[in-house]
Amino acid sequence: MEEEGHNEEWQAANTNNSALSEAQSETASRKDSIDEGLPEDFLSLDKKAVEQLSEGLISHYLPSLQSSKLALQELTQNQVVLLDTLDQEISKFKECNSILDINALFAEAKHYHNKLVNIRKEMIMLHEKTSKLKKRALKLQQKKQEENLRQEQQRERELEREKQLTAKPAKRT
């Protein structure tokens, strides 16, 4: 474990050294105005000092930067997990809302079903009443016809009786 840490530090330092060397060679090829007029020894001493100071600075801060990088990666991963969990919870809330909507629809359906049952009962009751009224009307009609027939028969009998009561001339023989 400790060896891996040293190995990573060496690789990072090596990578940084190569980047530093490239930067130094680029700087040397440009011949900036700052370095002009300085003795060559001073430039070589200054370059060595800059290189050593850079390596020291890098070796000092590189492990903490790498651990910070790992911590940031871990935080990013945790953030992704939290976002996924949040999305799942949001979808659960949406399902709950749709379930509430479905429950409301079922309650409404039950309400209308009860109304239909009541209307059906009323229709059956009205049908029974109309049937009774039809029977009663038929009976009344039959009684009226019987009464009319009886009255007609009574008139006929009275007419017959009047005929019989009327004086008849005697027959001469």
Side-chain angles (χ1 to χ4, degrees):
M1 181 92 172
E2 197 172 302
E3 188 175 312
E4 287 178 10
H6 289 294
N7 194 11
E8 288 177 3
E9 287 178 19
W10 180 81
Q11 287 177 346
N14 195 13
T15 305
N16 289 333
N17 284 339
S18 63
L20 186 60
S21 298
E22 288 176 17
Q24 287 173 345
S25 63
E26 199 175 298
T27 305
S29 65
R30 283 193 308 199
K31 294 280 183 181
D32 290 336
S33 62
I34 296 172
D35 292 342
E36 285 182 29
L38 292 175
E40 200 60 38
D41 307 359
F42 188 70
L43 287 177
S44 65
L45 284 176
D46 191 29
K47 287 181 184 178
K48 286 182 184 177
V50 167
E51 189 176 316
Q52 288 176 350
L53 287 172
S54 297
E55 286 178 16
L57 188 66
I58 289 171
S59 66
H60 179 71
Y61 286 109
L62 189 63
S64 63
L65 288 174
Q66 287 177 338
S67 65
S68 296
K69 180 181 177 182
L70 290 174
L72 284 173
Q73 287 175 342
E74 185 179 339
L75 284 173
T76 307
Q77 289 173 347
N78 289 340
Q79 199 172 28
V80 168
V81 169
L82 284 173
L83 286 173
D84 289 341
T85 305
L86 188 61
D87 284 342
Q88 290 173 357
E89 292 298 318
I90 288 171
S91 66
K92 285 180 186 177
F93 279 120
K94 286 180 182 177
E95 285 177 24
C96 287
N97 284 339
S98 64
I99 288 172
L100 290 176
D101 291 342
I102 290 171
N103 287 338
L105 287 175
F106 276 119
E108 191 175 355
K110 185 178 180 182
H111 173 73
Y112 285 115
H113 175 73
N114 289 337
K115 277 189 167 185
L116 285 173
V117 167
N118 290 337
I119 289 171
R120 184 171 180 241
K121 285 179 184 177
E122 286 180 29
M123 288 179 69
I124 290 171
M125 184 180 66
L126 289 173
H127 177 70
E128 289 174 358
K129 283 184 179 180
T130 55
S131 296
K132 287 179 183 177
L133 286 173
K134 283 180 183 178
K135 285 180 185 177
R136 185 173 175 208
L138 185 61
K139 285 181 184 178
L140 288 173
Q141 187 180 9
Q142 286 174 351
K143 283 185 180 181
K144 183 74 170 172
Q145 286 175 351
E146 287 174 5
E147 183 68 29
N148 287 343
L149 183 62
R150 212 176 336 115
Q151 285 178 356
E152 187 65 33
Q153 287 174 352
Q154 183 70 23
R155 273 191 224 132
E156 284 179 16
R157 277 186 257 153
E158 284 177 11
L159 282 174
E160 190 66 37
R161 189 168 173 205
E162 279 182 27
K163 280 184 187 179
Q164 288 176 358
L165 289 178
T166 55
K168 291 183 186 176
K171 287 186 186 175
R172 295 188 185 176
T173 36

